[in-house]
Amino acid sequence: MNDFRTVALTSHVMKTMERLVLHHLRPQTCHALDPLQFAYREKVGVEDAIAFLLHRSLSHLDRGSGAVRITFLNFSSAFNTIQPLFLRDKLSGMGVGSHLVAWISDYLTSRPQYVRLGDCRSDTVVSNTGAPQGTVLSPVLFTLHTSDFQHNSDLCHVQRFADDTAIVGCIRSGKEDEYRELIHDFVKWCDSNHLLLNTAKTREMVVDFRRSRVHPEPAHQRGLCGGGAHLQIPGVQLNDRLDWTTNTDALCRKGQSSVLP
């Protein structure tokens, strides 16, 4: 059962209504969106997220005598953990009109749902949490729900692609207080917003080109993450050299498995 994920099948009329709501919602919330959220944005994609991360990391490493630490975090059932009451307060704080906020709150609460497989149909249950996957509004609502945690300084930043989050710290002279504090604050923010982190998919990678590499203490937060020689973000695998060998090998293996009998 863990291999299945619920996707809401809504009518064309409902999808049209959501697009109308989205047309009014975007202009009222554009000022609050996280500029380092690279998903669900027009003419922005995963390539931009990768380019930004590599540019910031390699620019720091090119200066020498430093390292980069990257913690990749992933939410568990991200859309399903949205709290409509929290989202309502956040939308109101962004200046969204009260009628639009009320419509969205009503849209997310008291949602009857059931599962149908062939001629069999489950009992109907009512859901008051989360946003239905596969709908027009849900990706934007998730982005708005998580946009209040942003960080972008000279040494550290948080960037996202949907629910995949990377916390990047540019370390110099062993000073990593900001990086560790940022991870701590992010975990605390997740707890306060009832967002569950998938610890099995959370990893930290250290990129260090110096000959005498320092092995820093892992930035674990309550057993949050382990180390990894390479990490995967949507569609791309990165290694601790920040080159393309790991990703190229993975693509070759995938291509061979689909071509060879």
Side-chain angles (χ1 to χ4, degrees):
M1 293 300 294
N2 290 332
D3 294 332
F4 294 88
R5 176 176 293 183
T6 57
V7 176
L9 300 177
T10 54
S11 66
H12 292 296
V13 175
M14 186 60 196
K15 285 183 168 61
T16 301
M17 181 63 186
E18 289 183 75
R19 288 188 175 92
L20 292 173
V21 172
L22 187 59
H23 177 74
H24 291 279
L25 181 63
R26 284 191 185 278
Q28 299 183 48
T29 58
C30 60
H31 65 281
L33 292 175
D34 184 359
L36 297 186
Q37 167 63 269
F38 293 92
Y40 315 130
R41 293 171 54 190
E42 187 178 1
K43 299 181 180 180
V44 177
V46 67
E47 296 87 356
D48 300 276
I50 297 167
F52 186 86
L53 185 139
L54 292 179
H55 176 72
R56 290 287 294 264
S57 301
L58 293 174
S59 297
H60 173 73
L61 293 169
D62 282 345
R63 300 187 185 100
S65 68
V68 174
R69 303 184 67 170
I70 309 172
T71 296
F72 290 87
L73 305 107
N74 185 277
F75 294 113
S76 296
S77 303
F79 283 25
N80 296 334
T81 55
I82 293 178
Q83 299 290 323
L85 293 179
F86 287 6
L87 179 60
R88 181 194 64 187
D89 294 339
K90 292 182 180 183
L91 292 176
S92 298
M94 296 174 188
V96 179
S98 58
H99 294 293
L100 187 54
V101 172
W103 190 95
I104 294 174
S105 298
D106 186 71
Y107 166 75
L108 295 177
T109 55
S110 301
R111 291 183 288 109
Q113 57 187 31
Y114 63 89
V115 177
R116 184 173 61 196
L117 181 61
D119 296 331
C120 299
R121 172 176 163 169
S122 70
D123 295 334
T124 300
V125 297
V126 177
S127 176
N128 288 298
T129 59
Q133 296 190 45
T135 59
V136 176
L137 273 177
S138 293
V140 177
L141 294 180
F142 176 79
T143 300
L144 294 173
H145 183 58
T146 56
S147 63
D148 57 332
F149 190 96
Q150 304 178 23
H151 189 94
N152 186 13
S153 68
D154 292 337
L155 296 179
C156 294
H157 76 271
V158 178
Q159 68 176 80
R160 299 184 178 95
F161 189 85
D163 61 331
D164 293 311
T165 303
I167 298 178
V168 183
C170 298
I171 310 301
R172 189 173 300 279
S173 302
K175 297 180 181 180
E176 52 187 36
D177 293 343
E178 182 182 355
Y179 171 70
R180 290 181 176 275
E181 184 177 354
L182 184 56
I183 294 177
H184 177 271
D185 292 342
F186 184 79
V187 174
K188 185 177 180 181
W189 172 83
C190 290
D191 289 340
S192 62
N193 285 271
H194 297 280
L195 294 169
L196 303 177
L197 289 173
N198 188 341
T199 56
K201 293 184 178 180
T202 299
R203 292 290 184 270
E204 182 189 31
M205 181 171 69
V206 179
V207 184
D208 192 346
F209 294 161
R210 293 172 294 182
R211 291 184 178 180
S212 56
R213 297 185 60 175
V214 179
H215 298 282
E217 181 182 353
H220 291 185
Q221 173 68 27
R222 296 182 305 176
L224 181 64
C225 57
H230 63 88
L231 300 164
Q232 184 169 351
I233 58 179
V236 176
Q237 294 190 25
L238 295 176
N239 60 22
D240 58 2
R241 302 301 297 175
L242 294 184
D243 59 31
W244 297 101
T245 55
T246 301
N247 189 68
T248 302
D249 292 341
L251 289 176
C252 289
R253 289 194 299 270
K254 185 177 181 180
Q256 290 173 352
S257 64
S258 60
V259 173
L260 297 177

